[in-house]
Amino acid sequence: MTIINTDIISAANDVFWQDSSDLTRGLEKKPVLVLLGEADRKPELETQLVRVLEACKLQPSDYNIVYLAEGRAVSWNQLRTALDPYVVLLFGLVPARLGVAVMLQFLLPNRFNDTVWVPLPSVEAFAPQPDLKRRMWTEALKPVFEMGKFGAITCPGNQ
C-alpha cells in the first residue's frame, strides 16, 4: 500500500507508518534503549556490548536492546511510544533508519526530541580498537552515565 508518493517524499517512507510492534513485543519501558544492527548479534559481540553497558553502571532492568535487520527501518515514534527511553544508544545505525531527519554529532551525546541520543560505532567496529573504545567512553558515555550531565538515568518505577 502506498501512503505517500511525491517528488519530495517517496513511497519508501511508508515503512515509518507500518506496525513495528514485533521489535518491542515483550519489552517494558526502560530509561535506555540500545539499538544495533543485526550484524552485531554474535555471542562475542554481545559480550562486548554487555561490558560497555556494565561500565555505564547499567543493569538489565535499565535498558532494552533492539536489533534491526539489515536494511530495516522503523519509526522512532513507535519505538518512543512503546519503550519511552530517555537515552538512545545508536550502535552503528543512523537516525534516518528511524525516520528521523537530524544530524547528530558522532561519539557525543546529543539532545533531540526530549531524549539524549548517543551515536556510536557498531560493536564490531569498536571491539578491536582500544583507542576508539577509550574515546567512546570518555566523550560519549561517561558524560551521560557517570558524570550525569544529562540528569539522572532512572527506571520508570524509580522516578
Side-chain angles (χ1 to χ4, degrees), residues 31-35 76 80 84-90 98 102 104-105 107-120 139-145 148-153:
V32 179
L33 174 59
V34 181
L35 292 170
W76 160 243
R80 183 186 58 207
D84 193 28
Y86 178 65
V87 175
V88 176
L89 301 179
L90 288 172
L98 306 174
V102 63
L104 300 176
Q105 294 181 18
L107 284 176
L108 291 171
N110 299 262
R111 285 190 188 270
F112 172 74
N113 200 222
D114 297 324
T115 306
V116 178
W117 295 66
V118 186
L120 303 162
E139 296 178 26
L141 300 173
K142 185 178 179 181
V144 175
F145 296 105
K149 288 189 174 185
F150 295 86
I153 310 298

Side-chain angles (χ1 to χ4, degrees), residues 45 48 122-133:
L45 297 178
Q48 284 287 325
S122 68
V123 179
E124 188 171 37
F126 78 73
Q129 298 186 53
D131 290 339
L132 182 57
K133 277 196 270 193

